Amino acid sequence: MKPYDIETAASERVEAAVDEIRDDVVDFAADLVRVRSVLNEEQPAQERVRDQLEALDLEVEEIRVDEVPGIEDHDEYVERDLSSEDRPNLLATREGAGNGPSLLFNGHVDVVPEGDREAWSFDPFAGTVEDRRLLGRGASDMKGGVAAMIFALEALDRAGIELLGDLSLNTVIEEEYGGSGGTLASVLGGVDADAVVIPEPTGFDTWIANDGVSYFRVSVEGKSAHAAETDAGVNAISKLLPIYHALEDLHGERKTTVHDELFEEWHEHTVSLNLGTIQGGDWVSSVPDEAHLEARISHAPEETREDLRETVERTVERAAEGDPWLEEYPPEIEWFGWRGRSAKIDPDEPIVRTVEDVASEALGRESHAKGFPGGIDSRFFVNENGTPAVCFGPGAYNIHGTDEYLPVAELEELTLALALTAMSWCGYRVTPDES
Ligand SMILES: [Zn+2]
């Protein structure tokens, strides 16, 4: 199969159809932006998606995290105090008219909170369009993408195009919370296809790899004393500082020794160690008797989390060596919270080539394969099922920050690109005109 294999007449029909529904795509994306679908409040957004899927004559299936047996034992499962009753993931499939390969579009409907509303120059949840920009939280990450993947199918229907392989649409919750109740639950619940495309805001590049992420905390004990008798105590902050600096050095060393060209296409380094918090002491007139630091460390797809843990633990141990107090009261290391696995697929995977060819043939955009230095939901398809999964979507405009927006033109481009990707991947036939 050639990556891009679409007759001009057929692609023109789809282009015309996307043109006809351009306002509907924007209206739907705007409607989704109006729902403040932060963690645990995704349900109204999924309701709107469901209505839209049903309008395409699709049957909508629900997948809830609490109905996936054994998911709590998965190493990426995040402990939760969330209801799953009203928070389904959705799956709908248009069956192919032949035996073509199947494709799945996956997108998250949850958004990160808006932060300080006063800092925005518009209402983050008004869903207005100004100067051909859809404004609001989630516009580019990734309600635009969700709208485009649904309306890509609408465009194909209008254009009288039948796909030969199945096309599934999977909208999920909790991506911003690590994905365990969303895409992980979907994948472990049986959602799969021959390939997956996720329209996250990639700037029309393809993200085909991601770093793994771990959080850890180092705690050091001291001995408290009155400030007037400072030397009678042991200052825990002072004991923590050499460890802090050793970890800083570890970051410096890893960023020059761990390389993956997919990441360095784009970022200065492949991996990082971020020292995020430091705390110590609770009273200015007392010698602090405990101190902690918390850090986020990433690992490249070629590394294992186990090796990385060993490296961190050895670094901390070495920093404590030779200090009689720390030898008696060794620092404690705790790996806590979210753990994201790394993943990587081959840049020559046919789905990657297909998406890149669509971008260049239909949009005139040069698409590059890149690695993302954090968690993306594609890893679940890759790691659990060995299914090639790629992120490909519009630009990222102030995502996770203030004044997020998405140019309407990119939403239209993406809708067209996803429709053509489905045709190219699944194969298609043009239904005869009934008139
Ligand atoms: Zn996203």
Side-chain angles (χ1 to χ4, degrees):
M1 190 190 70
K2 278 192 290 171
Y4 187 81
D5 197 4
I6 301 172
E7 309 246 321
T8 311
S11 70
E12 281 171 2
R13 287 173 78 134
V14 178
E15 258 174 71
V18 169
D19 213 43
E20 272 171 43
I21 58 169
R22 55 202 280 181
D23 291 342
D24 301 339
V25 188
V26 178
D27 286 350
F28 180 67
D31 216 32
L32 284 183
V33 167
R34 280 178 210 117
V35 182
R36 189 176 176 278
S37 52
V38 295
L39 179 67
N40 215 17
E41 291 169 36
E42 304 95 335
Q43 199 239 3
Q46 289 288 55
E47 278 311 308
R48 280 170 174 72
V49 168
R50 175 199 297 275
D51 290 346
Q52 205 57 41
L53 295 172
E54 285 176 349
L56 286 166
D57 264 337
L58 296 168
E59 243 175 74
V60 181
E61 199 188 311
E62 297 187 346
I63 302 128
R64 291 190 179 79
V65 62
D66 60 345
E67 291 168 352
V68 178
I71 193 168
E72 321 76 49
D73 301 328
H74 193 280
D75 71 349
E76 289 205 63
Y77 181 78
V78 179
E79 289 302 321
R80 62 205 42 246
D81 184 19
L82 305 164
S83 124
S84 28
E85 205 179 312
D86 298 326
R87 301 170 57 243
N89 300 289
L90 304 181
L91 175 71
T93 299
R94 171 66 58 78
E95 274 186 34
N99 293 318
S102 58
L103 182 65
L104 180 127
F105 293 146
N106 163 290
H108 65 86
V109 299
D110 60 310
V111 294
V112 293
E114 67 279 21
D116 177 11
R117 265 197 201 216
E118 298 301 305
W120 288 65
S121 48
F122 47 80
D123 177 347
F125 301 104
T128 46
V129 177
E130 266 174 47
D131 299 328
R132 305 255 313 143
R133 288 171 171 192
L134 170 61
L135 308 178
R137 168 61 79 234
S140 72
D141 182 16
M142 59 171 284
K143 289 174 168 175
V146 167
M149 69 190 218
I150 297 170
F151 280 82
L153 180 56
E154 161 97 35
L156 293 173
D157 286 353
R158 270 178 189 256
I161 304 285
E162 278 184 320
L163 299 172
L164 301 183
D166 293 354
L167 176 65
S168 299
L169 304 173
N170 174 211
T171 60
V172 300
I173 60 171
E174 274 191 40
E175 191 275 343
E176 303 289 4
Y177 189 60
S180 54
T183 297
L184 178 63
S186 299
V187 169
L188 296 183
V191 175
D192 199 12
D194 292 325
V196 175
V197 176
I198 304 182
E200 285 274 15
T202 67
F204 295 100
D205 284 320
T206 53
W207 292 350
I208 63 167
N210 72 279
D211 278 336
V213 174
S214 313
Y215 299 152
F216 66 92
R217 181 182 297 121
V218 182
S219 303
V220 164
E221 259 181 71
K223 191 174 136 206
S224 75
H226 189 280
E229 301 288 347
T230 294
D231 294 344
V234 175
N235 188 318
I237 298 174
S238 308
K239 295 294 174 194
L240 185 65
L241 283 177
I243 296 169
Y244 182 96
H245 291 302
L247 290 169
E248 229 173 15
D249 292 346
L250 179 62
H251 167 65
E253 183 200 314
R254 282 175 54 75
K255 76 180 185 188
T256 53
T257 54
V258 181
H259 296 292
D260 183 318
E261 59 178 23
L262 287 173
F263 292 79
E264 291 174 23
E265 270 268 341
W266 180 26
H267 294 278
E268 255 175 67
H269 35 87
T270 299
V271 293
S272 63
L273 195 173
N274 182 64
L275 290 151
T277 73
I278 182 159
Q279 281 170 327
D282 55 9
W283 191 248
V284 68
S285 287
S286 303
V287 174
D289 61 357
E290 42 173 54
H292 319 268
L293 67 81
E294 289 178 336
R296 169 203 193 268
I297 189 162
S298 62
H299 67 273
E302 280 72 19
E303 300 181 286
T304 69
R305 189 193 305 284
E306 290 64 37
D307 288 347
L308 181 79
R309 285 189 175 195
E310 237 182 81
T311 304
V312 167
E313 284 165 14
R314 221 176 335 113
T315 302
V316 171
E317 248 169 57
R318 268 206 217 122
E321 257 167 37
D323 181 313
W325 175 265
L326 289 179
E327 275 169 10
E328 202 179 337
Y329 302 92
E332 272 178 32
I333 304 177
E334 193 189 334
W335 296 87
F336 73 98
W338 180 58
R339 287 144 303 174
R341 286 194 202 170
S342 60
K344 187 178 182 177
I345 62 170
D346 198 303
D348 287 324
E349 277 288 348
I351 189 62
V352 180
R353 290 280 177 234
T354 300
V355 168
E356 289 176 350
D357 281 3
V358 165
S360 91
E361 297 278 336
L363 309 181
R365 286 179 180 272
E366 206 185 314
S367 190
H368 292 276
K370 289 178 175 175
F372 181 76
I376 39 178
D377 271 3
S378 45
R379 72 189 186 280
F380 296 121
F381 293 99
V382 176
N383 291 336
E384 303 304 323
N385 294 343
T387 300
V390 56
C391 294
F392 169 82
Y397 298 95
N398 300 338
I399 63 167
H400 292 224
T402 54
D403 289 356
E404 182 175 351
Y405 69 94
L406 179 65
V408 165
E410 293 193 17
L411 187 48
E412 293 164 13
E413 280 183 275
L414 180 63
T415 307
L416 176 64
L418 294 178
L420 296 173
T421 296
M423 289 167 73
S424 207
W425 179 261
C426 302
Y428 70 95
R429 70 178 186 215
V430 181
T431 52
D433 265 328
E434 277 149 33
S435 57

